[in-house]
Amino acid sequence: MQRKHNKELTSNARSLRKNMTPEESHLWYDFLRSYPIRFLRQKVIDNYIVDFYCRSARIIIELDGSQHYEEKGLLKDKIRTARIEKRDITVIRIPNVEINRNFKEVCIYIDDVVKEALR
């Protein structure tokens, strides 16, 4: 039987919850924390710690800083997304710059994706 997640990452996830990036903190405290569908932050799935996870909608939200757009980061993200999507979980990636420039539109987009997934 395949393990649900790597338990060794649990303490790392806890630390990341306490030390969120400014963009993660903004999205969490100003939208997802009070969103009517429950999201978890810094959730361990397989051998990864994902930024935000909604179990009922089977959606992961990943906020991407500049390192995600370098060649190595793009490849790592592609592999990570493919492995997670094998679990029938949708991964949506949002650049940090969008959180900072278009926060309201990002929230509307997330809401639309969640509502579509729950249909």
Side-chain angles (χ1 to χ4, degrees), residues 7-110:
K7 292 186 180 199
E8 295 172 8
L9 294 176
T10 302
S11 64
N12 290 352
R14 191 174 299 119
S15 176
L16 288 170
R17 279 192 295 275
K18 291 179 183 178
N19 300 296
M20 290 188 291
T21 67
E23 292 81 10
E24 290 169 344
S25 185
H26 184 25
L27 185 60
W28 177 252
Y29 287 108
D30 298 327
F31 183 64
L32 293 177
R33 183 173 74 163
S34 60
Y35 190 70
I37 308 298
R38 184 173 186 221
F39 273 86
L40 301 173
R41 57 192 167 126
Q42 305 304 336
K43 173 74 174 153
V44 178
I45 297 180
D46 288 334
N47 287 315
Y48 304 107
I49 300 172
V50 301
D51 293 336
F52 302 100
Y53 174 59
C54 178
R55 182 178 179 180
S56 59
R58 302 197 58 76
I59 291 173
I60 287 172
I61 299 171
E62 287 288 295
L63 300 187
D64 292 344
S66 60
Q67 74 276 15
H68 291 271
Y69 300 101
E70 297 169 2
E71 188 174 340
K72 185 177 178 182
L74 289 168
L75 179 59
K76 286 175 74 174
D77 287 345
K78 183 177 180 179
I79 293 167
R80 173 185 171 115
T81 297
R83 290 182 90 188
I84 290 171
E85 287 181 341
K86 284 184 180 181
R87 291 185 166 275
D88 195 31
I89 300 172
T90 300
V91 177
I92 60 173
R93 296 191 163 280
I94 300 171
N96 281 345
V97 69
E98 290 300 316
I99 296 292
N100 295 321
R101 291 185 186 163
N102 300 306
F103 185 72
K104 183 177 178 182
E105 290 79 8
V106 167
C107 296
I108 292 168
Y109 170 68
I110 292 169

